[in-house]
Amino acid sequence: MIEWKELDPELLLQMLADGQIEPEQIIDVRETFEWDYYHLESSRLIPMNTIPYSLGTISDDKPLYIVCAHGVRSAAVCNYLEEQGYGNLHNVTGGMAAIASLQGFQYD
């Protein structure tokens, strides 16, 4: 049973602006070249294929906001993290493409 939630990118940006989210809570699961192209300064890069090896560095004491390019890889990571016992997970709907659009940047 899936318990993680979808999060609107506008809400994510508002929560960031209001100081409700700390940088280590936003995990960007894209590849390094995607990160280099465009990313949120307040996010942490952990490429999807390295998530299993990075579990020891991912705290589960606060909500986690998972983002990728369009929301597909981040949903898979939410599923994986949930299987590993993580809770309070949020998949950012539309990913960095949606976030970039809200900030006036054409992502793709």
Side-chain angles (χ1 to χ4, degrees):
M1 183 169 107
I2 296 174
E3 294 192 17
W4 53 266
K5 298 169 184 70
E6 295 284 347
L7 181 71
D8 184 270
E10 281 185 283
L11 183 54
L12 176 76
L13 292 175
Q14 186 60 53
M15 291 170 71
L16 273 171
D18 293 345
Q20 297 176 30
I21 298 175
E22 297 175 18
E24 68 272 7
Q25 291 178 263
I26 302 173
I27 299 175
D28 190 325
V29 298
R30 298 174 301 149
E31 297 299 319
T32 303
F33 72 92
E34 295 172 290
W35 167 272
D36 290 343
Y37 178 65
Y38 186 84
H39 65 272
L40 287 171
E41 290 298 326
S42 55
S43 62
R44 178 176 169 206
L45 177 65
I46 306 177
M48 181 178 178
N49 64 340
T50 68
I51 292 287
Y53 312 106
S54 303
L55 293 177
T57 69
I58 302 171
S59 176
D60 64 351
D61 63 341
K62 295 179 182 175
L64 294 174
Y65 305 90
I66 315 299
V67 65
C68 66
H70 296 282
V72 177
R73 286 176 282 179
S74 51
V77 169
C78 283
N79 284 332
Y80 177 78
L81 289 174
E82 195 169 82
E83 290 170 359
Q84 303 309 307
Y86 286 80
N88 211 351
L89 300 166
H90 306 270
N91 178 37
V92 180
T93 307
M96 285 306 299
I99 291 168
S101 177
L102 290 169
Q103 295 183 327
F105 182 82
Q106 181 63 40
Y107 182 77
D108 54 8

